[in-house]
Structures are given as structure tokens and as C-alpha cells.
Amino acid sequence: MSKIGIKDIASQSGVSSATVSRTLRSPELVSEDTRKRVLEAIKATGYKPNRFGASLRTQKSGNVVVVMPDITNQVNAGIIRAIESEAHKAGYCVLLGDTQNQEEREQHYADMVTSGQADGILIFTPNLPFSLKTDKPISEQLPPLVNSCEEIANDDIYKVVIDNKAGARTAVQHLLDLGHTCIAAVMGPKDTPSTLDRLAGYKQALTEANIEINRNLIIRGDYRTESGIEAMEKLLRLRHRPTAVFCFSDDMAIGAMNTLREYDYRIPQDISVIGFDDISYSKLMYPKLTTIRQPLEDIGRNCMRVLLEQLRGNKPAQKITELPFELVVRQSTGPVPR
Amino acid sequence: MSKIGIKDIASQSGVSSATVSRTLRSPELVSEDTRKRVLEAIKATGYKPNRFGASLRTQKSGNVVVVMPDITNQVNAGIIRAIESEAHKAGYCVLLGDTQNQEEREQHYADMVTSGQADGILIFTPNLPFSLKTDKPISEQLPPLVNSCEEIANDDIYKVVIDNKAGARTAVQHLLDLGHTCIAAVMGPKDTPSTLDRLAGYKQALTEANIEINRNLIIRGDYRTESGIEAMEKLLRLRHRPTAVFCFSDDMAIGAMNTLREYDYRIPQDISVIGFDDISYSKLMYPKLTTIRQPLEDIGRNCMRVLLEQLRGNKPAQKITELPFELVVRQSTGPVPR
DNA sequence: ACTTTCTATGAAAACGTTTACATTATACAT
DNA sequence: ATGTATAATGTAAACGTTTTCATAGAAAGT
């Protein structure tokens, strides 16, 4: 569009380009009246400094890239929204990296930060897409980086997390308190730390209650609705059906409830369902879903803050910032039948 | 991170930086063996060309910016996902602009394209954040731009749309076919074209059926769940309650259904509800929501394609690309009571 | 009155690419 | 053998900023 550059402003207001740059970046260095003159010319022409010229010189892009497996997912969407908001406040732009679970794309977005197109990266997938050399400390080889949601198995990177194990334990304890003893679990994908932690919490709650763990009641899912549907179908075929199901995500819980309705089970009279996340649709389900709330906005905000801290050249105080979860009891869980 | 530049690769493989650049950008111009040598050096060092150097020279950023009111919204999320995918294929990156309905932010993201930080812009809000001069044709003053979802009231810009009026008409016709005559409408926000079109479709269907339009049955909403809840509360207070409600978004329909359940109405036995959008959660509701499907993925893909066409310097064939909607009948609509 | 410090500005280098132009070597046609 | 087209590469300018360094004038300290 506009072809006007800093030099045009400079000549138009009778100063050098250096002064124009200064009026924009460090106004305190330029006298009041020249400043006014320059600002006027800028306003009159609608001049916007070209970012590439600036970036090339300063070696800062002003961008951060966020790598997510699926932005359509309510958890991810909620988080990225907060990230964007926080980034915007700090003058950063966010580059959206929806990986669709393809490694090639993860790599591609990671390259953006090594090629200088972004100054930092937020990773919500369980992989670290940077090749590391073993002869140097990891922290020296990585760009400003924060990891959340799907934990990367590496203790040397900054993370913002919730206590998944305790969250799961709380969920199961809630069911236990209602008298359930036959409690199924629908896990997340693969062997990601978050899923493993939740599984550990599930097991801990049961063993603490002296209930033996029944492998048939533990089903593998992938956090998505469809897998919740399938998991519940499997569970219903069991000779000893569970009276309660703990799904590791709300989406799966919603799927599970759909299956239950399909086969005429009443929730929670026949079977209780509890989820994990508290996405916005959970409270709109019928029955309203009991779940463990993740503070999505807080997670996003803190991710960005920890990243900003690094971008400013500081070392954040701690590697891990842990945020609180919360049991929110609604109507999908009730006392054990009989 | 890495401080290696094109010159390092050049000296390392005994050629000039020009040749290195050529091996990357136009490999056909460099002989096979030098090409191999250069590629080797690049691989060995992990060199990534600095985007700013390149962009500064070529005057192309390789970015597009998408401006949306709320990325948390399933419609927006679905669309942006397809955009990202298509952009990625074409070698573009997408800058996320969640405006949170603030004009300042809209402006900010528009500036990215005028300042060269992005080559094109996709706008999903009803405003055109560019100042135009009246003495020139509009198309000459705008950057590559595509508008969708919330139509901008300007016929000179590229849009991808569905036929909102026909969609609404279809929805209402569906209710009419079920015998309903007292049909409420819950509108979208403000006086955006999309909402106005849907309202027109609603009115047309009714007048065609010789049903008088009752202003009390038309409630203003804002597409969000909360407003669906409130709208339904208003409707239930009416002396002559509607037997069917057409919500201009699924989110509002979902809210409306919640209100209905709260006051013990049966859906659809007492009151039918139909939505608009077909977000993924609609089929998971109880009862499953009847709605008008928007082809979100198609919309996103086409938006990006029309933009790409412009970015390649071509004029897209038509200003408006219209995509088909589809009535999907599920369980939230049924015959009129009695 | 004379140095010293400070303030406001300008000149010019630097950032890392791409590419127009120039150059050389090679193949081809006559 | 001569000239011409072609292929492969190098040289250097250009992109639009920011910032170091230098400079000039003003203010301040003696």
C-alpha cells in the first residue's frame, strides 16, 4: 500500500531519519517542538514504520508462536485467547501454529523461532521440536519457551501446569464419597505425562479407599468426543459395569453421556459421569457435567507472562508455575444406585 | 540462538552468498554439484535463512492476519483452523487477531498489513478498519483482503458467504412444515448484515405462509449462549408463547434449550428449537439440535484461497463466493403440540 | 572567561537477505 | 576460427529501520 518511509517523514519535517526514529522509539530524546513537528508529519501521511527494517536492525521480531494440536478444542481455544490478549498488551503478535498432530508442522513452527521470525514459542504438544546437543546444558540451547497442557518430558524447560494427579484424585474421591466403588477411567492419548498423572491420581484414590484396581475399567481414549463415545460403549459391554466413569476430558465425558443416553441409562441415577477441564459447554449439557475445572484463562495468561519474562532477558523465578484446579459439582454425578 | 548467516554457509562451501540464496530460492539456477555442497553445509550447520533480511528485500512478509471477534467461538475456531491449514500449504503464516470486539484492536491488526508485517488480511468482523479516500476507487486503496461471516457493508471487497436469508427461510420453513405458526426469532447482534439477512429470511417465510409478523416474538441477541438464555426467558413470559424458536446461532439455541429445561418444558414436545451454524457440540446436546449447517471448513478454505489469489497478483474471478448451507434435522424440532 | 557537562541532532554503519548486472567459461552454429 | 548464445557464478546495491558515534550549541560550574 503506502510507500512512504522514514526518510519521507524526515525530509517532510526537516530532520534526519534518526530523529524520526527517535521520536517514535525514545521520545524523551527529542525536543518538544521537533517531536511535535515529526508527529504531525507522521499523522498527516499515515506513516507506519516497516517492521522488517526495524526487526532486521534490532534482531527482534515482536512475534511469539504458539503450537497447538487443535485450536478447535475448547481448552486450547480458551488458552490461546488469553495468550493473545496478554501478548497484545505487551506489544507482541501471536503466530498461530495448529499442528493437527503432524510432526512436520510442529517442526515447521519451531523453525520460526530459530529463523528469527518469532522471539519465543509456546508449546502445547508433548514434544520438544528442537534438536539438542548433549554437550551443553539444555537451557542454553533453547529459545525462550514455555510448555503447558501436554507436558514435555524434560525438567529443564519452563512449564505452567495444574496438579493433574491431585485433580484426578479429587475427581475420584468425589465419586468415592458418593458411595461408588466400581469406577471406570477413560484416559487421554498415548503416554503423555498429563494422562499418566491423572491415571496415577485415579489409582491412588482407589488404593487409598482399599479398592482393587481393575484393568478392565481403564480405557484408552484421546481426549476427543468420539473416543468418549467408544470408551463408554466398551464399558457398557462389561459384565460388571461401572457405576461411575471418570473421563480425563470434558469432551470425552460429553461423548460418554451421549452413549449412555443412547442406551437409555439415566445420568446420574444409573451411572455417574465426571469430566476434566470445565469447558464452557459442560454446564450446558443435560445433565450439567460435574468436572474438574482448569483455569484456562489463567493458564494462558501465565504462559505468556513466563514467556515475556524470558523475552525480557530475565530468568523466571521457577521452572514450574502450578495453578489451582477446582472440583465443580453439577448434576452428572450422584449417589451410587440401590 | 544460531548466529550463522548466509555468509557462513557461503564461505563454508566456497561460493558466494548469492549462490547460497539461489540454491534455496531457485535451485535450477545452480549446478548440481555446488548445490549439493551448499545443501550439505546448510544441513550440517542447521542454517535457517533469516526471514527479515529476506522480507526486507522482497517486500513480502509471508504472513496473513486474521481478525476475529472471539476465537473461542466454535464457528470462528472451525474457520480459522481451515485457514491455517490452507495458509500453511501455501507457505504462509497466520497472525492471530482476536479483537475481543474492541475497535482499537481491529485497527491494530489492520495496521499490520499496512506496515508490511502481513501481506493480506482476513476479516470476520463487520467493520472495515481502513481509512479510504473518496477520490479513488476503493479496490485500489485496499490491501489483499477477504471478508466473511460478519459482512462488511461494502460491495467492493471480496467475500465468502452463505445465503443467510435462504438459510433462515429454510429453517423457518422446516418449522412451518411441522405445523408451527407461532415462531419466535432470536437475532444476532446489532444490525449486522448477516443478522439482518436472517431476519429477512424469517419474515419472508412467515409472510409466504400468510402468518403475520409479531414483533414480540423477535428478540435481540448477540449470538452467545447467555443471550439465548435471556431471550428464552423473555419469550416464556409472553402471554402467547411461541411453539417454536429459531435462534440465529447454535450457541443461543443451546442457551435457549437450557432455559427451557430449567422451567420444565419438553423439547420438542412443548417447544421446538432450531439453531444456525451446526457447531460440533450441537449433535451432542440433549435433545440433539436441529440446525442450519454452515460449511465452516469450506468457508475457511475458500477465504484463504481467495486471499491467495490476490496475493499472487491475480484478481479473483468474482467478488462474492457463495457456499451452500444445509438443513440438518435432529431432535430438537417436532410437530406443533396438540 | 574557560573548561566541563548536557541536550539535541545528524551522518553513517549495520542488520541478512535477494537480485540486477557483470563476468567468465562452455557449448554451439556458422 | 569466429562469433553468439547459454550456463554458472560473483559483485554489489538495495530493502527500511535503529543506533553508535560525532558534533555543535547551550547550560553550568569554577
Side-chain angles (χ1 to χ4, degrees), chain A residues 100-116:
Chain A
Q100 312 206 11
N101 287 304
Q102 292 166 242
E103 207 175 314
E104 171 263 329
R105 284 164 152 268
E106 243 167 66
Q107 191 57 58
H108 172 80
Y109 286 110
D111 287 348
M112 310 198 75
V113 36
T114 91
S115 77

Side-chain angles (χ1 to χ4, degrees), chain A residues 60-101:
Chain A
K60 298 266 158 260
S61 68
N63 298 330
V64 301
V65 47
V66 5
V67 178
M68 279 185 168
D70 178 7
I71 203 200
T72 262
N73 178 103
Q74 287 276 292
V75 174
N76 289 338
I79 291 176
I80 202 175
R81 182 155 217 234
I83 289 174
E84 196 272 357
S85 185
E86 207 67 20
H88 178 74
K89 272 188 227 158
Y92 279 88
C93 291
V94 357
L95 284 158
L96 175 61
D98 187 323
T99 66
Q100 312 206 11
N101 287 304

Side-chain angles (χ1 to χ4, degrees), chain B residues 51-67:
Chain B
R51 184 64 161 266
F52 297 118
S55 284
L56 185 55
R57 175 62 220 245
T58 59
Q59 303 289 55
K60 297 268 159 259
S61 69
N63 297 330
V64 301
V65 47
V66 4
V67 177

Side-chain angles (χ1 to χ4, degrees), chain B residues 119-261:
Chain B
D119 302 331
I121 185 168
L122 294 150
I123 303 185
F124 295 82
T125 60
N127 313 308
L128 186 62
F130 294 96
S131 51
L132 299 174
K133 285 161 193 165
T134 44
D135 57 350
K136 278 198 169 185
I138 288 157
S139 50
E140 279 178 30
Q141 299 182 64
L142 290 178
L145 185 159
V146 177
N147 168 230
S148 184
C149 281
E150 282 306 342
E151 262 185 75
I152 296 172
N154 184 322
D155 286 338
D156 240 355
I157 65 184
Y158 292 97
K159 296 179 186 174
V160 356
V161 300
I162 62 159
D163 187 338
N164 281 296
K165 187 175 173 187
R169 206 172 141 281
T170 304
V172 176
Q173 190 59 53
H174 168 67
L175 297 171
L176 254 13
D177 291 345
L178 290 166
H180 296 274
T181 54
C182 190
I183 300 174
V186 182
M187 297 172 60
K190 295 190 233 152
D191 296 324
T192 64
S194 72
T195 276
L196 260 20
D197 285 349
R198 291 177 199 181
L199 184 65
Y202 163 83
K203 287 181 176 172
Q204 187 190 352
L206 290 185
T207 40
E208 277 173 10
N210 282 312
I211 297 174
E212 205 174 335
I213 281 143
N214 178 349
R215 297 216 64 81
N216 290 326
L217 291 177
I218 301 178
I219 310 275
R220 186 157 303 227
D222 66 2
Y223 285 148
R224 288 182 310 203
T225 314
E226 192 55 39
S227 80
I229 291 174
E230 287 162 12
M232 190 49 103
E233 282 170 351
K234 270 184 215 159
L235 288 169
L236 291 181
R237 284 184 224 123
L238 250 35
R239 190 155 87 92
H240 296 293
R241 291 186 197 122
T243 61
V245 181
F246 168 36
C247 295
F248 287 14
S249 79
D250 279 2
D251 275 340
M252 293 195 299
I254 288 168
M257 290 205 293
N258 264 262
T259 301
L260 250 16
R261 269 197 301 268

